[in-house]
Amino acid sequence: MKTFSNLILKNIFLYSLYKNHFSQVLEYSLISKGCFSVIQDLLTFDNDCIMIKMKFNSIKKYVENAKLQLPTNKPGKLLDTLIKRRLFQFKEIEQLIVYDEITQSQYHYLNSNFKKLKTIYSISSSFAYFPSYQNDNSHFKNNNNNNSNNNNNNNNNSNNNNNCKIITEKLYINWYYFGPISTLEEHQQFSILKIDDIPNFEFSFQFLSKYHPKKLVISTPNHKIKNNFYNLNNILNFKSIKSIKFQNIITPISFIKKVFSQSIIKSITIILDNYQSDHINLNNNNNNNNNNNNNNNNNNNNNNNNNNNNNNNNNNNNNNNNNNNNNNNNGNNNIQKAQLSNNNFIFNGIENNNFKLKKLVIRKLDDCYFTIIDPSSFLNQLCLKNYNLKYIGLEFLEILDSKQLDPLFNLPNLKTICCGNYNFLAVIQHCNENKNIKRLKYHNKVVQQLKPEDIKIFDNFFKQNETLEDFGIFYYYPHLEKSFLKIKKSLSDSKNKTIINLEICEVSNKKIKK
């Protein structure tokens, strides 16, 4: 009966303690000896199940107070008994969850005091440090020396746990023009590259092994950078990463192809741009054109050497200039055609499917004129390659007819659609037809106030839709607040019984209305 009671208590506390503060956990532990014992076991062996909120300073304070209260002149067995009476068994814990960023000094403190500690989960967001911003090699030298010293100290100290690793919930990677360099050798290789070779440099991303991130956000503090590096595929070698978001920097096409075909990524936000897609698609064509031009020039030079007539030489030179101009014009025409007609440039060459991808958001830069003229064909390929999608973001697509969204019917698990101004009308019509869609997110980037006819569109949608449960509206200009709050009244007047949650939010601020 006692065992059965402990099992019941354990199940109760698995729910009641989940993501609770440690002070609240202490209060629960004082209810009875049975509660104390169950909570002690949960903290020690199942801490990853209850996710107790503890920050490093509170952990350190608890450990130091425990050390002061434990007498040093007691026999070993008695001292062990006193230690076991502590709720927080820091000498036995194997997993520790910390709700702030872990610095190097904090890591060493935890590693030295928690003797059996194997994993530190850092729930807070962290910024990855890599020495790309340095103009010299001093950091690499100091870092290498520190690593060697730490290794020597760890080898000499048998009490330290060398296997303890940090798992970061969300890691931000920001770079300028220098790139995410990990090692001194990589820095030396990068520094001797020619300017034209820099974009295709293959970064190792070895610094990620220090963080073991689950979510990765890639951006740049310099918003003038659009796409300065194309070879980022080594990021996908780190199996801990399940989510990747490109925030304000363009996603290389080769990276997208690899995610769609063979990676274990479950969520990705990509950014497309016309310059980047042209670079990928037309690189070989341009190289061929350049080779042809060079061959023509060489042939013409040989002809000029064989001819002794200056007039013929001048005529040949003029012809060469005309040919070069024509070739350049053809190249520009190819670029324009690639922007408008090559709908499936992402999917060319992909043979496998990624059945693990659950969330896909596709965006474009605000100043980008990238367009897909056949969204239906594009979406059809997209759905074939990512059959198990549950969430899809299509703010970048220009869609006027809801029939162009018909490929989404082929996604049986799709529950959420995120749309924008260029496809809102088509998407809400699709939501009326697709009964699987339960959640709609609408990003409105228009400056003007809503007109009566705009409110009427929402009125009709609320009256017609019978399956949507959540509707989020995100606007980007504060003066539109009153205009969008009218939609809340429209929902109330429509007597819609399925939409449980209506969220109206200014993107730069917190939630305004629910």
Side-chain angles (χ1 to χ4, degrees):
M1 185 67 183
K2 181 179 179 181
T3 305
F4 182 71
S5 299
N6 286 341
L7 289 174
I8 294 175
L9 284 175
K10 181 177 180 180
N11 289 328
I12 292 174
F13 286 130
L14 280 174
Y15 289 98
S16 59
L17 299 182
Y18 184 69
K19 289 188 176 181
N20 219 323
H21 292 281
F22 187 64
S23 58
Q24 186 67 37
V25 176
L26 287 173
E27 293 182 10
Y28 279 118
S29 68
L30 297 176
I31 296 176
S32 67
K33 291 183 178 180
C35 292
F36 182 91
S37 177
V38 170
I39 294 176
Q40 186 184 62
D41 288 341
L42 287 175
L43 285 174
T44 306
F45 304 109
D46 296 307
N47 198 13
D48 57 331
C49 295
I50 54 178
M51 304 286 286
I52 299 301
K53 293 183 178 180
M54 299 184 69
K55 293 190 175 182
F56 173 80
N57 289 336
S58 61
I59 295 174
K60 183 178 180 180
K61 183 178 179 180
Y62 187 93
V63 172
E64 295 302 320
N65 288 337
K67 288 180 179 179
L68 292 175
Q69 294 175 9
L70 291 175
T72 57
N73 57 349
K74 298 291 183 182
K77 291 184 178 180
L78 180 59
L79 186 61
D80 291 339
T81 302
L82 293 174
I83 292 175
K84 289 180 180 180
R85 292 178 181 177
R86 307 290 301 184
L87 178 66
F88 193 58
Q89 295 288 300
F90 59 90
K91 291 188 176 182
E92 300 294 328
I93 287 178
E94 295 182 354
Q95 298 176 344
L96 187 63
I97 300 171
V98 184
Y99 278 75
D100 48 10
E101 186 175 355
I102 301 298
T103 63
Q104 192 70 11
S105 60
Q106 292 172 346
Y107 171 79
H108 287 305
Y109 178 87
L110 295 174
N111 203 29
S112 60
N113 286 280
F114 292 71
K115 302 301 182 181
K116 296 184 179 181
L117 189 62
K118 295 181 179 179
T119 307
I120 302 174
Y121 293 94
S122 177
I123 304 301
S124 176
S125 301
S126 303
F127 286 86
Y129 180 80
F130 46 89
S132 300
Y133 310 117
Q134 305 294 328
N135 293 324
D136 53 50
N137 298 337
S138 58
H139 175 84
F140 289 106
K141 294 177 181 178
N142 294 332
N143 193 35
N144 290 335
N145 291 334
N146 290 333
N147 288 337
S148 62
N149 292 333
N150 289 334
N151 290 334
N152 292 333
N153 292 332
N154 289 335
N155 291 331
N156 294 330
N157 189 355
S158 59
N159 292 328
N160 276 352
N161 182 7
N162 296 326
N163 296 324
C164 181
K165 67 178 181 179
I166 297 177
I167 296 179
T168 306
E169 181 70 19
K170 181 185 289 187
L171 184 68
Y172 287 83
I173 301 180
N174 295 336
W175 65 65
Y176 288 88
Y177 292 100
F178 300 102
I181 298 173
S182 300
T183 62
L184 174 59
E185 292 76 16
E186 198 168 7
H187 174 75
Q188 292 172 340
Q189 294 173 6
F190 185 81
S191 61
I192 62 175
L193 289 176
K194 297 179 181 179
I195 295 179
D196 294 339
D197 296 331
I198 288 178
N200 293 313
F201 182 78
E202 184 177 4
F203 296 99
S204 66
F205 290 95
Q206 291 181 15
F207 64 88
L208 291 176
S209 61
K210 298 186 298 183
Y211 301 94
H212 300 91
K214 292 183 177 180
K215 300 178 182 179
L216 200 63
V217 180
I218 303 173
S219 63
T220 171
N222 188 348
H223 293 274
K224 294 181 180 180
I225 296 178
K226 288 192 175 181
N227 189 9
N228 52 343
F229 301 115
Y230 295 107
N231 198 338
L232 310 179
N233 291 351
N234 282 332
I235 290 176
L236 300 176
N237 293 335
F238 297 88
K239 303 305 180 183
S240 65
I241 301 174
K242 305 300 181 184
S243 173
I244 299 176
K245 179 180 181 180
F246 286 81
Q247 192 158 295
N248 61 347
I249 193 168
I250 299 162
T251 313
I253 294 297
S254 61
F255 188 88
I256 300 174
K257 287 176 179 286
K258 192 167 184 180
V259 169
F260 282 2
S261 62
Q262 61 188 34
S263 77
I264 58 174
I265 301 300
K266 295 182 178 180
S267 172
I268 186 169
T269 299
I270 63 178
I271 296 180
L272 300 179
D273 180 76
N274 51 0
Y275 169 76
Q276 181 252 10
S277 59
D278 297 338
H279 174 88
I280 298 298
N281 287 294
L282 301 177
N283 190 33
N284 293 332
N285 294 332
N286 289 336
N287 288 336
N288 292 334
N289 288 335
N290 291 333
N291 290 334
N292 292 333
N293 291 339
N294 291 333
N295 291 333
N296 291 334
N297 290 334
N298 291 333
N299 292 333
N300 290 325
N301 288 333
N302 291 332
N303 292 331
N304 291 338
N305 291 331
N306 294 328
N307 289 326
N308 294 324
N309 191 327
N310 291 332
N311 291 331
N312 289 338
N313 289 338
N314 292 332
N315 290 335
N316 287 333
N317 289 333
N318 291 333
N319 290 334
N320 289 337
N321 291 332
N322 292 332
N323 289 333
N324 288 335
N325 291 333
N326 291 332
N327 286 330
N328 290 333
N329 291 333
N330 291 335
N332 293 332
N333 291 334
N334 287 336
I335 291 177
Q336 294 174 359
K337 291 178 181 178
Q339 290 176 228
L340 297 175
S341 63
N342 193 359
N343 294 325
N344 299 327
F345 62 91
I346 294 179
F347 311 106
N348 292 336
I350 298 179
E351 297 180 357
N352 301 321
N353 299 327
N354 184 356
F355 294 109
K356 295 187 178 181
L357 191 64
K358 305 297 182 182
K359 180 178 179 179
L360 172 64
V361 179
I362 306 177
R363 294 172 179 162
K364 64 179 181 179
L365 296 180
D366 292 336
D367 59 347
C368 169
Y369 296 98
F370 177 82
T371 56
I372 298 291
I373 63 171
D374 189 0
S376 181
S377 174
F378 180 84
L379 288 175
N380 187 54
Q381 291 290 328
L382 188 67
C383 296
L384 288 175
K385 297 299 179 184
N386 304 281
Y387 180 75
N388 289 325
L389 281 176
K390 294 183 178 181
Y391 182 116
I392 190 166
L394 302 172
E395 301 102 302
F396 83 109
L397 275 181
E398 297 181 13
I399 302 176
L400 300 178
D401 189 353
S402 63
K403 292 182 179 180
Q404 294 177 311
L405 294 169
D406 283 353
L408 298 183
F409 284 107
N410 297 324
L411 299 176
N413 300 319
L414 185 64
K415 302 296 180 184
T416 304
I417 297 180
C418 189
C419 64
N421 299 105
Y422 297 110
N423 52 33
F424 176 66
L425 294 178
V427 169
I428 60 174
Q429 180 59 35
H430 180 79
C431 289
N432 289 335
E433 300 169 359
N434 191 343
K435 306 304 180 183
N436 289 332
I437 306 302
K438 303 298 181 182
R439 191 173 294 105
L440 176 62
K441 295 185 177 182
Y442 168 45
H443 287 261
N444 183 290
K445 296 185 179 181
V446 177
V447 180
Q448 293 83 3
Q449 297 281 354
L450 293 181
K451 300 177 182 179
E453 52 266 32
D454 298 325
I455 302 296
K456 187 66 175 177
I457 292 174
F458 287 97
D459 287 338
N460 295 333
F461 174 66
F462 293 145
K463 292 176 182 178
Q464 296 173 7
N465 190 275
E466 299 178 351
T467 55
L468 200 69
E469 298 177 359
D470 294 307
F471 188 18
I473 300 175
F474 307 91
Y475 59 93
Y476 290 72
Y477 301 96
H479 68 276
L480 297 178
E481 178 181 353
K482 292 183 179 180
S483 183
F484 278 101
L485 287 179
K486 295 178 182 178
I487 299 175
K488 183 183 179 183
K489 184 178 183 303
S490 175
L491 175 62
S492 178
D493 294 341
S494 69
K495 298 181 180 180
N496 184 294
K497 297 181 180 180
T498 60
I499 299 180
I500 302 174
N501 179 37
L502 174 64
E503 177 185 353
I504 302 175
C505 175
E506 182 190 347
V507 172
S508 58
N509 296 326
K510 296 181 180 180
K511 293 180 182 178
I512 294 178
K513 286 288 180 179
K514 269 191 173 181

